[in-house]
Amino acid sequence: MSEVVFGRDGDFSDHNMVLKVNAHLANEIGNLCQRTLSMAFKNCNKAIPESIGDLTEEDQTLLSIAQSLREQTAQHIAHQSIYRYIQEMIELIVATNKYIDEQAPWALRKTDPARADTVLYVVLEVLRYAAILYQPVIPSASNNILDQLTVPDNERTFSHLTDEFRLKFGTPLPSKPQGVFPRLEVPEAAQEVVAK
């Protein structure tokens, strides 16, 4: 869906689908989700951080991007531009990965634990937005993420994409984080086609 403009022909192949899944789902959102939840599970008493410090400009910028997507994605759906909807989601996750790499909460843990908790909370909250917005496209995986974030079943619609329903500080995580998107192998038949 991320490659095909609505109403036009598209080019689909098992090989390209596997590459997309590995690049955008396993490598980007899957890895982001697992490593952030794992850090919270290990360093925040197996829970959402109990408190956060003042938000920096970088924190607010990332949260603003996530918060703006409800309206933007609604416009894309209204125009049946599903590929643009998905592109917005991919860009959010890319920005979030860049943010966590730059903020490096694993290093902050040793020098500024409070700041590390703030960074983790910001990423977890962005993941809440992303998982809710991804539900029309990848419902099972999105709900898996929301389960791991302890988001109640009755707080998973687009109307819950507000600060009122943000992740609750200190909420216990249900279990040790699990991978959401395992990497796929390129089918042998597709490999043979590529080789030719």
Side-chain angles (χ1 to χ4, degrees):
M1 286 188 287
S2 65
E3 292 295 313
V4 181
V5 177
F6 183 79
R8 299 182 185 177
D9 292 336
D11 180 20
F12 173 84
S13 71
D14 289 340
H15 178 264
N16 286 340
M17 185 192 73
V18 168
L19 293 180
K20 282 287 184 183
V21 168
N22 287 341
H24 299 311
L25 298 181
N27 291 353
E28 294 287 348
I29 188 170
N31 184 50
L32 176 67
C33 183
Q34 186 161 12
R35 67 174 172 162
T36 307
L37 281 166
S38 294
M39 281 188 279
F41 191 84
K42 178 181 179 181
N43 298 297
C44 303
N45 297 317
K46 302 179 180 180
I48 302 296
E50 293 184 359
S51 63
I52 61 174
D54 294 335
L55 297 179
T56 66
E57 182 179 348
E58 291 81 6
D59 303 337
Q60 293 172 340
T61 296
L62 182 62
L63 288 169
S64 294
I65 293 172
Q67 291 161 356
S68 70
L69 285 183
R70 176 182 174 182
E71 181 177 346
Q72 292 181 37
T73 53
Q75 292 176 359
H76 294 323
I77 291 299
H79 292 91
Q80 299 179 333
S81 298
I82 299 175
Y83 73 102
R84 288 185 177 172
Y85 181 113
I86 295 172
Q87 189 59 42
E88 294 276 11
M89 299 307 304
I90 291 172
E91 290 175 2
L92 172 64
I93 298 304
V94 168
T96 309
N97 272 303
K98 179 181 179 183
Y99 165 86
I100 197 171
D101 286 342
E102 291 176 346
Q103 299 298 318
W106 49 88
L108 288 169
R109 181 61 52 192
K110 301 175 183 177
T111 60
D112 191 348
R115 176 61 189 157
D117 286 352
T118 301
V119 171
L120 289 178
Y121 183 85
V122 168
V123 175
L124 292 171
E125 178 65 1
V126 170
L127 282 170
R128 180 181 75 89
Y129 272 79
I132 289 175
L133 287 164
Y134 256 131
Q135 284 182 108
V137 183
I138 44 175
S140 179
S142 294
N143 280 291
N144 185 341
I145 294 172
L146 292 168
D147 287 343
Q148 295 194 58
L149 290 171
T150 69
V151 176
D153 290 343
N154 62 348
E155 294 183 8
R156 300 185 178 189
T157 70
F158 285 16
S159 64
H160 296 106
L161 294 173
T162 67
D163 278 344
E164 179 183 355
F165 297 98
R166 67 183 184 179
L167 297 173
K168 307 299 186 293
F169 297 131
T171 302
L173 296 173
S175 62
K176 187 174 181 179
Q178 303 294 319
V180 179
F181 298 105
R183 287 182 62 80
L184 301 180
E185 297 297 326
V186 178
E188 291 184 10
Q191 289 179 334
E192 292 176 1
V193 171
V194 172
K196 292 178 181 179

